[in-house]
Amino acid sequence: MFDADDHRHMAHALRLAQQGLYTTDPNPRVGCVLVRDGRTVGEGWHRRAGQAHAEVHALSQAGELARGATAYVTLEPCAHHGRTPPCSLALVAARVARVVVAMTDPNPLVAGRGLAQLREAGLRTEEGLLCAEAQALNPGFAMRMNAGRPFVRLKLAMSLDGRTAMASGESKWITGPDARRDVQRLRARSSAIVTGIGTVLADDPSLTVREADIGQPAPEGGWRQPLRVIIDPHLTTPPGAKILGEPGHVMVATCCREDEDAVPLTDSGAEVIRFPGSGDAVALHALMEYLAQEQINEVLVETGATLSGAFLRSGLVDELIIYVAPKIMGNEARGLFRLPGLDCMADALDLEISDVRAVGRDWRITASLKVRGGA
């Protein structure tokens, strides 16, 4: 169905979409290429929510040359009036002859309607070209639309013997500067960064995107600061914590019901949201559902062994990013996860490793939990 030229043009559209990696949130990253008589006559990518979509940029560049062209779009053109008019109607008005999409839009407001509108107008449509690559570009948007929660990425750093901090709690720095720059890029693409009260009390982190440390030019409009979420069951976050004084919005997720305990944090600029929970734990599923309702696509979890273990046990971790430093820290140092109850090999959690690569002197492992028994 698709020839080599189709693959080449869609690959170019995906590269264009990649340029919106840090800026389009909460919208998906989308690229579009218009080709007529074997020549690219227009191209574009979605830059920011509320601004023109990829198809509009490409059509504007092509002008009259869009007539009779093939449009290669990484995501099904929208068919509804949101902040911008429907792209499906713009393609019809431009008299494009053929539209090839990498993936259909999981948004229920679209979900096939865009392609249907194009076909009803007489345009030839095809779908599924480089679909896996398009899905990989928007894991959070697809997860939010399909499952009602964000895509959760758990970031960890450890020594070669699986340790995250010395027995004293000292952990700076396990990894080198290249790995830390890589983490800055993970933060920059994320909609929210989640940590726990234990990390706040022990390390006093800022959890911001730091332009000086990211190692690449800022996108147009500057770096967006993700929402920062502190899971704090008993509201013990110090009002003077560094995370509260940095740019951007901070949310404290708690199960504490005492209104007066929230006052110092709200006075410091934080938003305190109460969730179901028991004892020392906020219900993580409820938190993720709330974040999805707030249009949070990708969550980066940066926290200690206890909360990391809780996320794993909850089944909410979609991807693990583990940085491994060429260090040995010894058996007295602290471990990667707190996962009680794994008493025999059959209880061990199996991972599927999808990528291993060098990042400076360190190694980065990308993995996901292996599904057992079709569960």
Side-chain angles (χ1 to χ4, degrees), residues 167-255:
S168 64
E170 180 188 359
S171 60
K172 292 184 179 180
W173 294 102
I174 294 176
T175 55
D178 293 286
R180 297 199 293 276
R181 277 192 290 271
D182 201 55
V183 171
Q184 287 291 312
R185 290 188 282 271
L186 285 179
R187 289 181 181 178
R189 70 170 291 170
S190 300
S191 315
I193 301 170
V194 173
T195 193
I197 181 60
T199 299
V200 171
L201 295 176
D203 300 335
D204 196 22
S206 61
L207 298 181
T208 53
V209 176
R210 297 187 292 272
E211 184 170 356
D213 298 337
I214 202 165
Q216 65 185 66
E220 182 182 344
W223 294 106
R224 173 185 54 84
Q225 290 296 340
L227 169 70
R228 283 161 291 158
V229 180
I230 306 169
I231 298 179
D232 183 1
H234 302 297
L235 292 180
T236 54
T237 299
K242 189 184 297 183
I243 194 171
L244 300 177
E246 296 287 348
H249 187 56
V250 177
M251 185 184 98
V252 179
T254 187
C255 47

Coordinates of all heavy atoms in Angstrom, one line a residue, residues 167-255:
A167 N 24.9 5.1 53.0 CA 24.1 4.9 54.2 C 23.7 6.2 54.9 O 22.7 6.3 55.6 CB 24.8 3.9 55.2
S168 N 24.6 7.2 54.8 CA 24.3 8.5 55.4 C 23.2 9.3 54.7 O 22.8 10.3 55.2 CB 25.6 9.3 55.4 OG 26.0 9.6 54.1
G169 N 22.9 8.9 53.5 CA 22.0 9.6 52.7 C 22.6 10.4 51.6 O 22.0 10.9 50.7
E170 N 24.0 10.5 51.6 CA 24.7 11.2 50.6 C 24.5 10.6 49.2 O 24.6 9.4 49.0 CB 26.2 11.3 50.9 CG 27.0 12.0 49.9 CD 28.5 11.9 50.1 OE1 28.9 11.2 51.1 OE2 29.3 12.4 49.3
S171 N 24.1 11.4 48.2 CA 23.8 10.9 46.9 C 24.4 11.7 45.7 O 24.2 11.4 44.6 CB 22.3 10.7 46.7 OG 21.6 11.9 46.8
K172 N 24.9 12.9 46.0 CA 25.4 13.8 45.0 C 26.9 13.6 44.8 O 27.7 13.8 45.8 CB 25.1 15.2 45.3 CG 23.7 15.6 45.3 CD 23.4 17.0 45.6 CE 22.0 17.4 45.5 NZ 21.7 18.8 45.8
W173 N 27.4 13.3 43.6 CA 26.5 12.9 42.5 C 26.9 11.5 42.1 O 28.1 11.1 42.0 CB 26.8 13.8 41.3 CG 26.3 15.2 41.5 CD1 27.1 16.3 41.8 CD2 25.0 15.7 41.4 NE1 26.3 17.4 41.9 CE2 25.0 17.1 41.6 CE3 23.8 15.1 41.1 CZ2 23.9 17.9 41.6 CZ3 22.6 15.9 41.1 CH2 22.7 17.3 41.3
I174 N 25.9 10.6 41.9 CA 26.1 9.3 41.5 C 26.5 9.3 40.0 O 27.5 8.7 39.6 CB 24.9 8.4 41.7 CG1 24.6 8.2 43.2 CG2 25.0 7.0 41.0 CD1 23.3 7.4 43.5
T175 N 25.7 10.0 39.2 CA 26.0 10.1 37.8 C 26.8 11.3 37.4 O 26.9 12.3 38.2 CB 24.7 10.0 37.0 OG1 23.8 11.1 37.5 CG2 24.0 8.7 37.2
G176 N 27.3 11.3 36.2 CA 28.1 12.4 35.7 C 27.2 13.5 35.0 O 26.0 13.4 34.9
P177 N 27.9 14.6 34.5 CA 27.1 15.7 34.0 C 26.3 15.4 32.7 O 25.3 16.0 32.5 CB 28.3 16.7 33.7 CG 29.5 15.9 33.7 CD 29.3 14.8 34.6
D178 N 26.8 14.5 31.9 CA 26.0 14.1 30.7 C 24.7 13.5 31.1 O 23.6 13.8 30.5 CB 26.8 13.2 29.8 CG 28.1 13.8 29.2 OD1 27.9 14.7 28.3 OD2 29.2 13.6 29.7
A179 N 24.7 12.6 32.1 CA 23.4 12.0 32.5 C 22.5 13.0 33.1 O 21.3 13.0 32.9 CB 23.7 10.8 33.5
R180 N 23.1 13.9 33.9 CA 22.2 15.0 34.5 C 21.6 15.9 33.5 O 20.5 16.3 33.6 CB 23.1 15.8 35.5 CG 23.5 14.9 36.7 CD 23.9 15.7 37.9 NE 25.1 16.5 37.7 CZ 26.4 16.1 37.8 NH1 26.6 14.9 38.2 NH2 27.4 16.9 37.6
R181 N 22.3 16.2 32.4 CA 21.7 16.9 31.3 C 20.6 16.2 30.6 O 19.6 16.7 30.2 CB 22.8 17.3 30.2 CG 23.6 18.5 30.6 CD 24.4 19.0 29.4 NE 25.5 18.1 29.1 CZ 26.7 18.2 29.7 NH1 27.0 19.1 30.5 NH2 27.7 17.3 29.4
D182 N 20.8 14.8 30.5 CA 19.8 14.0 29.9 C 18.5 14.0 30.8 O 17.4 14.1 30.2 CB 20.3 12.6 29.8 CG 19.5 11.7 28.8 OD1 19.5 12.2 27.6 OD2 19.0 10.7 29.1
V183 N 18.7 14.1 32.1 CA 17.5 14.2 33.0 C 16.8 15.5 32.8 O 15.6 15.6 32.8 CB 17.9 14.0 34.4 CG1 16.8 14.3 35.4 CG2 18.4 12.6 34.7
Q184 N 17.6 16.6 32.6 CA 16.9 17.9 32.3 C 16.0 17.8 31.1 O 15.0 18.4 31.1 CB 18.0 18.9 32.1 CG 18.7 19.3 33.4 CD 17.8 20.1 34.3 OE1 17.1 21.0 33.9 NE2 17.8 19.7 35.6
R185 N 16.5 17.1 30.1 CA 15.6 16.9 28.9 C 14.4 16.1 29.1 O 13.3 16.4 28.6 CB 16.5 16.4 27.7 CG 17.5 17.3 27.2 CD 18.2 16.8 25.9 NE 19.2 15.9 26.2 CZ 20.5 16.1 26.5 NH1 20.9 17.4 26.5 NH2 21.4 15.2 26.7
L186 N 14.5 15.1 30.0 CA 13.3 14.3 30.4 C 12.3 15.3 31.1 O 11.1 15.2 30.9 CB 13.7 13.2 31.3 CG 14.3 12.0 30.7 CD1 14.7 10.9 31.8 CD2 13.4 11.3 29.7
R187 N 12.8 16.1 32.0 CA 12.0 17.0 32.7 C 11.3 18.0 31.7 O 10.1 18.3 31.8 CB 12.8 17.9 33.7 CG 13.2 17.1 34.9 CD 14.0 18.0 35.9 NE 14.5 17.3 37.1 CZ 15.2 17.9 38.0 NH1 15.5 19.2 37.9 NH2 15.7 17.2 39.0
A188 N 12.0 18.5 30.8 CA 11.5 19.5 29.8 C 10.4 18.9 29.0 O 9.5 19.7 28.6 CB 12.6 20.0 28.9
R189 N 10.4 17.6 28.7 CA 9.3 17.0 27.9 C 8.1 16.6 28.7 O 7.0 16.3 28.2 CB 9.8 15.8 27.1 CG 10.1 14.6 27.9 CD 10.4 13.4 27.0 NE 9.2 13.0 26.3 CZ 9.2 12.1 25.4 NH1 10.3 11.5 24.9 NH2 8.0 11.7 24.8
S190 N 8.3 16.6 30.0 CA 7.2 16.1 30.9 C 6.2 17.2 31.2 O 6.5 18.4 31.3 CB 7.8 15.6 32.2 OG 8.7 14.6 32.0
S191 N 4.9 16.8 31.5 CA 3.9 17.7 31.9 C 4.0 18.0 33.4 O 3.6 19.0 33.8 CB 2.5 17.1 31.6 OG 2.5 16.6 30.3
A192 N 4.4 17.0 34.1 CA 4.5 17.1 35.6 C 5.7 16.2 36.1 O 6.0 15.2 35.5 CB 3.2 16.7 36.3
I193 N 6.2 16.7 37.2 CA 7.3 16.0 37.9 C 6.7 15.6 39.3 O 6.3 16.5 40.0 CB 8.6 16.8 38.0 CG1 9.1 17.1 36.6 CG2 9.6 16.0 38.8 CD1 10.3 18.1 36.6
V194 N 6.8 14.4 39.7 CA 6.2 13.9 40.9 C 7.4 13.5 41.8 O 8.3 12.7 41.4 CB 5.2 12.8 40.7 CG1 4.8 12.2 42.1 CG2 4.0 13.3 40.0
T195 N 7.3 13.9 43.1 CA 8.3 13.4 44.1 C 7.6 13.2 45.4 O 6.4 13.5 45.5 CB 9.4 14.4 44.2 OG1 10.5 13.8 45.0 CG2 9.0 15.7 45.0
G196 N 8.3 12.7 46.4 CA 7.7 12.4 47.7 C 8.2 13.3 48.7 O 9.3 13.9 48.6
I197 N 7.5 13.4 49.9 CA 8.0 14.2 51.0 C 9.3 13.8 51.5 O 10.1 14.6 51.9 CB 6.9 14.2 52.1 CG1 7.3 15.1 53.3 CG2 6.6 12.8 52.6 CD1 7.6 16.5 52.9
G198 N 9.6 12.5 51.4 CA 10.9 12.0 51.9 C 12.1 12.6 51.1 O 13.1 13.0 51.7
T199 N 11.9 12.7 49.8 CA 12.9 13.4 48.9 C 13.0 14.9 49.2 O 14.1 15.4 49.3 CB 12.6 13.1 47.5 OG1 12.6 11.7 47.2 CG2 13.6 13.8 46.5
V200 N 11.9 15.5 49.4 CA 11.9 16.9 49.7 C 12.7 17.2 51.1 O 13.5 18.1 51.1 CB 10.5 17.5 49.8 CG1 10.5 18.9 50.4 CG2 9.8 17.4 48.5
L201 N 12.4 16.4 52.1 CA 13.1 16.6 53.4 C 14.5 16.3 53.3 O 15.4 16.9 54.0 CB 12.3 15.8 54.4 CG 10.9 16.2 54.8 CD1 10.3 15.2 55.8 CD2 10.8 17.6 55.3
A202 N 14.9 15.2 52.6 CA 16.3 14.8 52.6 C 17.2 15.6 51.6 O 18.3 15.9 52.0 CB 16.3 13.3 52.1
D203 N 16.6 16.0 50.5 CA 17.5 16.6 49.4 C 17.2 18.0 49.1 O 18.0 18.7 48.5 CB 17.4 15.8 48.1 CG 17.8 14.3 48.3 OD1 18.6 14.1 49.2 OD2 17.4 13.5 47.5
D204 N 16.0 18.5 49.5 CA 15.5 19.9 49.2 C 15.7 20.2 47.8 O 16.4 21.2 47.4 CB 16.3 20.9 50.1 CG 15.6 22.2 50.1 OD1 14.3 22.3 49.8 OD2 16.2 23.3 50.4
P205 N 15.1 19.4 46.8 CA 15.4 19.7 45.4 C 14.5 20.8 44.9 O 13.5 21.2 45.5 CB 14.9 18.3 44.8 CG 13.8 17.9 45.7 CD 14.2 18.3 47.1
S206 N 14.9 21.3 43.7 CA 14.0 22.3 43.0 C 13.2 21.7 42.0 O 12.0 22.1 41.7 CB 14.9 23.4 42.4 OG 15.8 22.8 41.4
L207 N 13.7 20.6 41.3 CA 13.0 19.9 40.3 C 12.5 20.8 39.1 O 11.4 20.6 38.6 CB 11.8 19.1 40.9 CG 12.2 18.0 41.9 CD1 10.9 17.3 42.4 CD2 13.1 17.0 41.4
T208 N 13.3 21.7 38.8 CA 12.9 22.6 37.7 C 13.7 22.2 36.4 O 14.7 21.5 36.5 CB 13.2 24.1 38.0 OG1 14.6 24.1 38.5 CG2 12.3 24.6 39.1
V209 N 13.3 22.8 35.3 CA 14.1 22.7 34.1 C 15.1 23.9 34.1 O 14.7 25.0 34.1 CB 13.2 22.8 32.8 CG1 14.0 22.8 31.5 CG2 12.2 21.6 32.8
R210 N 16.3 23.5 34.1 CA 17.4 24.6 34.3 C 18.1 24.8 32.9 O 18.8 23.9 32.4 CB 18.4 24.2 35.3 CG 17.8 24.1 36.7 CD 18.8 23.8 37.8 NE 19.4 22.5 37.7 CZ 19.0 21.4 38.3 NH1 17.8 21.5 39.0 NH2 19.6 20.3 38.1
E211 N 17.9 26.0 32.3 CA 18.4 26.3 31.0 C 19.9 26.1 31.0 O 20.5 25.6 30.0 CB 18.0 27.7 30.6 CG 18.4 28.0 29.2 CD 17.8 29.3 28.7 OE1 17.0 29.9 29.5 OE2 18.2 29.8 27.6
A212 N 20.6 26.5 32.1 CA 22.0 26.4 32.1 C 22.5 25.0 32.0 O 23.7 24.7 31.6 CB 22.6 27.1 33.3
D213 N 21.7 24.0 32.5 CA 22.2 22.6 32.6 C 21.7 21.7 31.5 O 22.1 20.6 31.4 CB 21.7 22.0 33.9 CG 22.3 22.8 35.1 OD1 23.3 23.4 35.0 OD2 21.7 22.7 36.2
I214 N 20.7 22.2 30.6 CA 20.1 21.3 29.7 C 20.9 21.0 28.5 O 20.7 19.9 27.9 CB 18.7 21.9 29.3 CG1 17.8 20.7 28.8 CG2 18.8 22.9 28.3 CD1 16.3 21.2 28.8
G215 N 21.8 21.8 28.1 CA 22.8 21.5 27.1 C 22.3 21.7 25.7 O 22.9 21.1 24.7
Q216 N 21.2 22.4 25.5 CA 20.7 22.7 24.1 C 20.0 24.0 24.1 O 19.5 24.5 25.2 CB 19.9 21.6 23.6 CG 18.6 21.4 24.3 CD 17.9 20.1 23.8 OE1 18.3 19.0 23.9 NE2 16.7 20.3 23.2
P217 N 19.8 24.7 23.0 CA 19.2 26.0 22.9 C 17.7 25.9 23.4 O 17.0 24.8 23.1 CB 19.3 26.4 21.4 CG 20.4 25.6 20.9 CD 20.4 24.3 21.7
A218 N 17.2 26.9 24.0 CA 15.8 26.9 24.4 C 14.9 27.0 23.2 O 15.2 27.6 22.2 CB 15.6 28.1 25.3
P219 N 13.7 26.4 23.3 CA 12.7 26.5 22.2 C 12.2 27.9 22.1 O 12.4 28.7 23.1 CB 11.7 25.5 22.5 CG 11.7 25.4 24.0 CD 13.2 25.5 24.4
E220 N 11.5 28.2 21.0 CA 10.9 29.5 20.9 C 9.9 29.8 22.1 O 9.1 28.9 22.4 CB 10.1 29.6 19.6 CG 9.4 30.9 19.3 CD 8.6 30.9 18.0 OE1 8.9 30.0 17.2 OE2 7.8 31.8 17.9
G221 N 10.1 30.9 22.8 CA 9.2 31.1 23.9 C 9.8 30.7 25.3 O 9.3 30.9 26.3
G222 N 11.0 30.0 25.2 CA 11.7 29.6 26.4 C 11.2 28.3 26.9 O 10.3 27.7 26.4
W223 N 11.9 27.8 27.9 CA 11.6 26.4 28.5 C 10.3 26.5 29.4 O 10.2 27.4 30.2 CB 12.7 25.9 29.4 CG 13.9 25.6 28.6 CD1 15.1 26.4 28.5 CD2 14.1 24.5 27.7 NE1 16.0 25.8 27.6 CE2 15.4 24.6 27.1 CE3 13.3 23.4 27.3 CZ2 15.9 23.7 26.2 CZ3 13.8 22.5 26.4 CH2 15.1 22.7 25.8
R224 N 9.4 25.6 29.2 CA 8.2 25.5 30.0 C 8.5 24.7 31.3 O 9.2 23.7 31.3 CB 7.1 24.8 29.2 CG 5.9 24.4 30.0 CD 5.0 23.6 29.1 NE 5.6 22.4 28.6 CZ 5.8 21.3 29.3 NH1 5.3 21.2 30.5 NH2 6.4 20.2 28.7
Q225 N 8.1 25.3 32.4 CA 8.3 24.6 33.7 C 7.1 23.6 33.9 O 6.0 24.0 34.0 CB 8.4 25.6 34.8 CG 9.7 26.4 34.8 CD 11.0 25.6 35.0 OE1 10.9 24.5 35.5 NE2 12.1 26.1 34.6
P226 N 7.4 22.3 34.1 CA 6.3 21.4 34.4 C 5.7 21.6 35.7 O 6.3 22.2 36.6 CB 7.0 20.0 34.4 CG 8.4 20.2 33.7 CD 8.7 21.7 34.0
L227 N 4.5 21.2 35.9 CA 3.9 21.2 37.2 C 4.7 20.3 38.1 O 5.1 19.2 37.7 CB 2.4 20.6 37.1 CG 1.7 20.2 38.4 CD1 1.4 21.5 39.2 CD2 0.5 19.4 38.1
R228 N 5.0 20.7 39.4 CA 5.7 19.9 40.3 C 4.7 19.5 41.4 O 4.0 20.3 42.0 CB 6.9 20.7 40.9 CG 8.1 20.8 40.0 CD 9.0 21.9 40.3 NE 8.4 23.2 40.1 CZ 8.7 24.3 40.7 NH1 9.7 24.3 41.6 NH2 8.1 25.5 40.4
V229 N 4.7 18.1 41.6 CA 3.8 17.5 42.6 C 4.6 16.9 43.7 O 5.4 16.0 43.5 CB 2.9 16.5 41.9 CG1 1.9 15.9 42.9 CG2 2.1 17.1 40.7
I230 N 4.2 17.3 44.9 CA 4.8 16.6 46.1 C 3.7 15.7 46.8 O 2.7 16.2 47.1 CB 5.3 17.7 47.2 CG1 6.2 18.7 46.6 CG2 5.9 17.0 48.4 CD1 6.5 19.9 47.5
I231 N 4.0 14.5 46.9 CA 3.1 13.5 47.6 C 3.5 13.6 49.1 O 4.6 13.2 49.5 CB 3.2 12.1 47.0 CG1 2.8 12.1 45.6 CG2 2.4 11.2 47.8 CD1 2.9 10.7 44.9
D232 N 2.6 14.2 49.8 CA 2.9 14.6 51.2 C 1.7 14.2 52.1 O 0.8 15.1 52.3 CB 3.2 16.1 51.3 CG 3.6 16.5 52.7 OD1 3.6 15.6 53.6 OD2 3.9 17.7 52.9
P233 N 1.6 13.0 52.5 CA 0.3 12.5 53.2 C 0.0 13.4 54.4 O -1.2 13.6 54.7 CB 0.6 11.1 53.6 CG 1.7 10.6 52.6 CD 2.5 11.9 52.3
H234 N 1.0 13.8 55.2 CA 0.7 14.5 56.5 C 1.0 16.0 56.4 O 1.1 16.7 57.5 CB 1.5 13.8 57.6 CG 1.1 12.4 57.8 ND1 -0.1 11.9 58.1 CD2 1.9 11.3 57.6 CE1 -0.1 10.6 58.1 NE2 1.1 10.2 57.8
L235 N 1.3 16.6 55.2 CA 1.6 18.0 55.1 C 2.7 18.4 55.9 O 2.6 19.4 56.7 CB 0.3 18.8 55.4 CG -0.8 18.7 54.4 CD1 -2.0 19.5 54.7 CD2 -0.4 19.0 52.9
T236 N 3.8 17.8 55.7 CA 5.0 18.2 56.5 C 6.1 18.9 55.6 O 7.2 19.0 56.0 CB 5.7 16.9 57.1 OG1 5.9 15.9 56.1 CG2 4.8 16.3 58.2
T237 N 5.7 19.3 54.4 CA 6.6 20.0 53.6 C 6.9 21.4 54.2 O 6.0 22.1 54.6 CB 6.0 20.3 52.2 OG1 5.7 19.0 51.5 CG2 6.9 21.1 51.3
P238 N 8.2 21.7 54.4 CA 8.5 23.0 55.0 C 8.1 24.1 54.1 O 8.4 24.1 52.9 CB 10.1 22.9 55.2 CG 10.4 21.5 55.1 CD 9.4 20.9 54.2
P239 N 7.5 25.2 54.6 CA 7.1 26.3 53.8 C 8.3 27.0 53.1 O 8.1 27.6 52.0 CB 6.4 27.3 54.8 CG 6.0 26.4 55.9 CD 7.0 25.3 56.0
G240 N 9.5 26.8 53.6 CA 10.7 27.4 53.0 C 11.4 26.4 52.1 O 12.5 26.7 51.7
A241 N 10.8 25.3 51.7 CA 11.5 24.3 50.8 C 11.8 25.0 49.5 O 11.0 25.8 49.0 CB 10.6 23.1 50.6
K242 N 12.9 24.6 48.9 CA 13.4 25.2 47.7 C 12.4 25.0 46.6 O 12.2 25.9 45.8 CB 14.7 24.6 47.3 CG 15.4 25.2 46.1 CD 16.7 24.5 45.7 CE 17.7 24.5 46.8 NZ 19.0 23.9 46.4
I243 N 11.7 23.9 46.5 CA 10.8 23.6 45.5 C 9.6 24.6 45.4 O 9.0 24.9 44.3 CB 10.2 22.1 45.6 CG1 9.5 21.7 44.3 CG2 9.3 22.0 46.8 CD1 9.1 20.2 44.4
L244 N 9.3 25.2 46.6 CA 8.2 26.2 46.6 C 8.6 27.6 46.2 O 7.7 28.4 45.8 CB 7.6 26.2 48.0 CG 7.1 25.0 48.6 CD1 6.6 25.2 50.1 CD2 5.9 24.4 47.8
G245 N 9.9 27.8 46.1 CA 10.4 29.1 45.8 C 10.8 29.3 44.3 O 11.2 30.4 43.9
E246 N 10.7 28.2 43.6 CA 11.2 28.2 42.2 C 10.0 28.6 41.2 O 8.8 28.5 41.6 CB 11.7 26.8 41.8 CG 12.9 26.4 42.5 CD 14.2 27.1 42.1 OE1 14.1 27.8 41.1 OE2 15.2 27.0 42.8
P247 N 10.3 29.0 40.0 CA 9.2 29.4 39.1 C 8.4 28.2 38.7 O 8.8 27.0 38.8 CB 10.0 29.8 37.8 CG 11.4 30.2 38.3 CD 11.7 29.3 39.5
G248 N 7.1 28.4 38.4 CA 6.2 27.4 38.0 C 5.2 27.0 39.2 O 5.4 27.5 40.3
H249 N 4.3 26.1 38.9 CA 3.2 25.8 39.8 C 3.6 24.5 40.6 O 4.1 23.6 40.0 CB 1.9 25.6 39.0 CG 0.7 25.4 39.9 ND1 0.3 26.3 40.8 CD2 -0.1 24.3 39.9 CE1 -0.8 25.8 41.4 NE2 -1.1 24.7 40.9
V250 N 3.3 24.5 41.9 CA 3.5 23.4 42.7 C 2.2 22.9 43.3 O 1.4 23.7 43.8 CB 4.5 23.7 43.9 CG1 4.7 22.5 44.8 CG2 5.9 24.2 43.3
M251 N 2.0 21.6 43.3 CA 0.8 21.0 43.9 C 1.3 20.1 45.0 O 2.2 19.3 44.8 CB 0.0 20.3 42.8 CG -1.3 19.7 43.4 SD -2.2 18.8 42.1 CE -1.7 17.1 42.6
V252 N 0.6 20.1 46.1 CA 0.9 19.2 47.2 C -0.3 18.2 47.3 O -1.4 18.6 47.5 CB 1.1 19.9 48.5 CG1 1.4 18.9 49.7 CG2 2.3 20.9 48.4
A253 N 0.0 16.9 47.1 CA -1.1 15.9 47.1 C -1.0 15.3 48.5 O 0.0 14.7 49.0 CB -0.8 14.8 46.1
T254 N -2.1 15.3 49.2 CA -2.2 14.9 50.6 C -3.5 14.1 50.9 O -4.4 14.1 50.1 CB -2.1 16.1 51.6 OG1 -1.9 15.6 52.9 CG2 -3.3 16.9 51.5
C255 N -3.4 13.3 52.0 CA -4.7 12.8 52.5 C -5.0 13.3 53.9 O -5.9 12.8 54.6 CB -4.6 11.2 52.5 SG -3.1 10.5 53.2

